[in-house]
Amino acid sequence: FEASHYGEMKNIMKIAIDIKSALGEKTGKGVYAWNIVKEMVESGDGSNDKSKKHEFLLYSPDVEDPFLDELGKRKNVEIVKISEGGLKWHFRVFEEVASKYKNGKLDAYFSPSSFIVAAVFYAVKMIGGGPKVFITIHDLVAFLYSATHNKRSVFIEKMTLKWALKAANGVFAVSENTANDVALKFAIPREKIVI
């Protein structure tokens, strides 16, 4: 989220984050999401540097989780629980984020593991508008090794990643190899991708 990579940013940003994968039992993406959300919220509380104070809207399913309890105690965090499941959950997140952005209550949206909401923002950005969008790409397994990957995940990633990349102001990759794969497969300028 540094200005040097993604253009002019405010000192105090209001950032929406999809924290769904950071809850419950976690695989690699969930562990990453848990760590990145925890670090962003802690470093964004302004306790060490007031110029880095940020506010976070964390979008979660309507569940109980110790991580939600921990995050809910922070002054710079608002947790938004959404009861719908499946794709409806993602579309409700999109509606909420778009509405808050339109009303000046949000600057950016970040997803540490899913491309669905970011892909929908591509259409919004095409007609002018929408928050800055940031996504993390862990790998391109759905594209490079689709036969060995979960069929539902392959379908969703193939339907959404291209549009999420077009909507994204910035892309985070978890490795140099993933960054190179993304740049090559989707013709994304390498400087848009941060390891």
Side-chain angles (χ1 to χ4, degrees):
F1 292 96
E2 294 175 16
S4 61
H5 287 291
Y6 306 117
E8 194 62 35
M9 297 282 193
K10 297 180 184 178
N11 283 345
I12 298 177
M13 290 187 67
K14 295 177 182 176
I15 304 167
I17 307 176
D18 168 354
I19 65 166
K20 190 175 190 178
S21 62
L23 306 174
E25 294 294 320
K26 291 174 263 308
T27 59
K29 289 180 181 182
V31 171
Y32 165 84
W34 184 88
N35 277 293
I36 197 86
V37 169
K38 188 173 187 304
E39 291 298 321
M40 286 176 71
V41 167
E42 287 176 0
S43 66
D45 71 2
S47 57
N48 294 328
D49 181 351
K50 294 297 180 200
S51 71
K52 298 207 173 177
K53 182 171 176 56
H54 303 297
E55 296 173 10
F56 298 91
L57 283 167
L58 306 180
Y59 287 88
S60 160
D62 191 6
V63 296
E64 297 298 319
D65 190 280
F67 192 40
L68 289 174
D69 297 337
E70 177 187 335
L71 292 167
K73 294 175 185 172
R74 305 196 71 89
K75 291 180 181 175
N76 62 333
V77 167
E78 177 185 342
I79 295 170
V80 180
K81 290 185 175 183
I82 294 178
S83 59
E84 285 91 348
L87 281 176
K88 287 183 180 179
W89 185 87
H90 294 280
F91 285 112
R92 275 292 310 284
V93 171
F94 166 76
E95 288 171 352
E96 291 265 336
V97 170
S99 174
K100 288 188 184 300
Y101 174 77
K102 186 178 178 183
N103 293 321
K105 297 179 180 176
L106 190 70
D107 300 302
Y109 169 78
F110 170 52
S111 178
S113 61
S114 173
F115 310 127
I116 297 170
V117 174
V120 178
F121 268 117
Y122 174 69
V124 172
K125 287 187 162 198
M126 288 301 293
I127 57 174
K132 291 188 180 291
V133 173
F134 299 89
I135 59 172
T136 296
I137 300 178
H138 297 266
D139 55 51
L140 291 185
V141 170
F143 295 86
L144 303 175
Y145 308 102
S146 58
T148 62
H149 199 48
N150 176 285
K151 288 185 182 349
R152 182 175 176 268
S153 296
V154 168
F155 176 76
I156 291 170
E157 287 186 30
K158 284 187 172 183
M159 290 293 292
T160 59
L161 181 54
K162 175 183 174 182
W163 306 112
L165 285 166
K166 288 179 179 287
N169 295 81
V171 177
F172 305 114
V174 298
S175 70
E176 189 76 38
N177 191 55
T178 295
N180 292 336
D181 286 347
V182 170
L184 185 63
K185 174 86 178 155
F186 295 98
I188 301 295
R190 186 57 183 79
E191 61 273 9
K192 186 177 179 179
I193 307 170
V194 174
I195 307 294

